[in-house]
Amino acid sequence: MGHLDHAAYGWLTPVLSYVMASIGAALGLRCTVRALAATGASRRNWLLTAASAIGTGIWTMHFIAMLGFHVTGTEIHFNVPLTLLSLLVAVLVVGAGVFAVGYGRDRGRALVLGGLTTGLGVASMHYLGMAALRLHGRIAYDPLTVGLSVAIAVVAATAALWAALNIRSPLAVAVASLVMGGAVSSMHYTGMMAVAVRVAPSDQALPGATALQFVFPLAVGLGSYLFITAAFVALSPTADEWAASDSASAAASASPPAVPSAALSARASAPSSARSPVERAAPSR
């Protein structure tokens, strides 16, 4: 059996992966809150942004954590198509859960369906990403620990969607995001505890790409996407701000234009010969 090291770089990869998971959760929750306050195409666009943020955050968390995963006696490569497929699965399945909540009429049923779908999507992304590993040996899993990791994913996803439905203040969303980031990280490392590797030393070259060749650049790119999206969400007006702006515009257009006081004074002091015939004929008061 090969010795597994889940944090070969110390606390760097666990902490950084937790930060990325929390950022993705925060963006997803804020976008879902915006979506629930919007209608039509605006709601759809906010939900799409929420799905991409949560899915990207979870995927980035997983593969940043995998940068610290080492097995004694073998190199580790990644199958590129399977790795990209895991990202696509994360975004699509999380999107299905988010849309179930965003458009569901029965909030309770939508929450259960969305939490189950999103949680299974998170677990599918994790184990599909693990299936992309290429090493000299064979990977086996403990079924009970795998089941526990899937349960954690479902509970975490349901809690996050509940927060999106019931929490509105930015501070509460921030706290919920930190909890969600911790739950996703717990799911990942619980799933990794289920892994056992039987190393079979070989001189043959492993297929696929190394983490630094493929996973690290992609994780950096997706992390940049999350930060850009965070700036977009922070700068975009909320529904309340749009309503206040519309009310101010309506009030401004409804009120008659004010006559400057200087013009009134000039008209009053003007000689009668400079006034119009109508003004000269009007009785003075």
Side-chain angles (χ1 to χ4, degrees):
M1 301 293 288
H3 173 70
L4 308 185
D5 189 349
H6 298 285
Y9 301 107
W11 286 99
L12 176 62
T13 50
V15 170
L16 187 56
S17 62
Y18 169 73
V19 169
M20 298 309 297
S22 298
I23 291 175
L27 284 175
L29 292 180
R30 290 302 296 163
C31 291
T32 305
V33 169
R34 298 285 186 93
L36 294 175
T39 57
S42 180
R43 171 173 289 196
R44 180 202 62 207
N45 293 338
W46 278 118
L47 290 175
L48 288 173
T49 306
S52 65
I54 295 175
T56 299
I58 293 171
W59 187 94
T60 306
M61 175 271 147
H62 171 81
F63 280 98
I64 287 179
M66 290 304 295
L67 292 176
F69 178 66
H70 286 190
V71 180
T72 303
T74 178
E75 290 184 308
I76 295 177
H77 285 199
F78 293 86
N79 179 281
V80 174
L82 273 180
T83 303
L84 294 176
L85 179 61
S86 68
L87 172 61
L88 182 62
V89 166
V91 174
L92 290 180
V93 184
V94 169
V98 169
F99 270 80
V101 169
Y103 285 101
R105 295 183 178 180
D106 185 338
R107 288 292 179 87
R109 182 181 300 175
L111 182 61
V112 173
L113 177 61
L116 182 63
T117 303
T118 304
L120 292 178
V122 172
S124 299
M125 181 280 304
H126 174 86
Y127 289 104
L128 191 57
M130 292 299 295
L133 289 183
R134 296 293 180 265
L135 47 78
H136 293 302
R138 190 180 67 179
I139 299 177
Y141 295 91
D142 176 62
L144 291 179
T145 311
V146 169
L148 177 60
S149 69
V150 173
I152 292 174
V154 171
V155 172
T158 304
L161 294 177
W162 178 89
L165 289 172
N166 296 279
I167 293 177
R168 292 293 181 268
S169 72
L171 178 60
V173 168
V175 173
S177 303
L178 295 176
V179 174
M180 178 64 177
V184 171
S185 298
S186 298
M187 178 268 159
H188 170 83
Y189 285 104
T190 300
M192 294 307 294
M193 290 298 123
V195 175
V197 178
R198 186 177 295 277
V199 176
S202 174
D203 294 332
Q204 292 184 351
L206 287 169
T210 66
L212 292 179
Q213 289 174 337
F214 172 64
V215 173
F216 180 73
L218 184 57
V220 170
L222 293 176
S224 301
Y225 163 76
L226 288 177
F227 282 105
I228 293 172
T229 306
F232 166 75
V233 173
L235 295 175
S236 62
T238 63
D240 293 339
E241 291 170 341
W242 278 117
S245 177
D246 292 342
S247 298
S249 299
S253 60
S255 60
V259 179
S261 58
L264 292 176
S265 300
R267 177 178 296 180
S269 60
S272 59
S273 59
R275 299 180 185 178
S276 67
V278 176
E279 290 177 323
R280 288 198 299 269
S284 60
R285 285 183 286 179

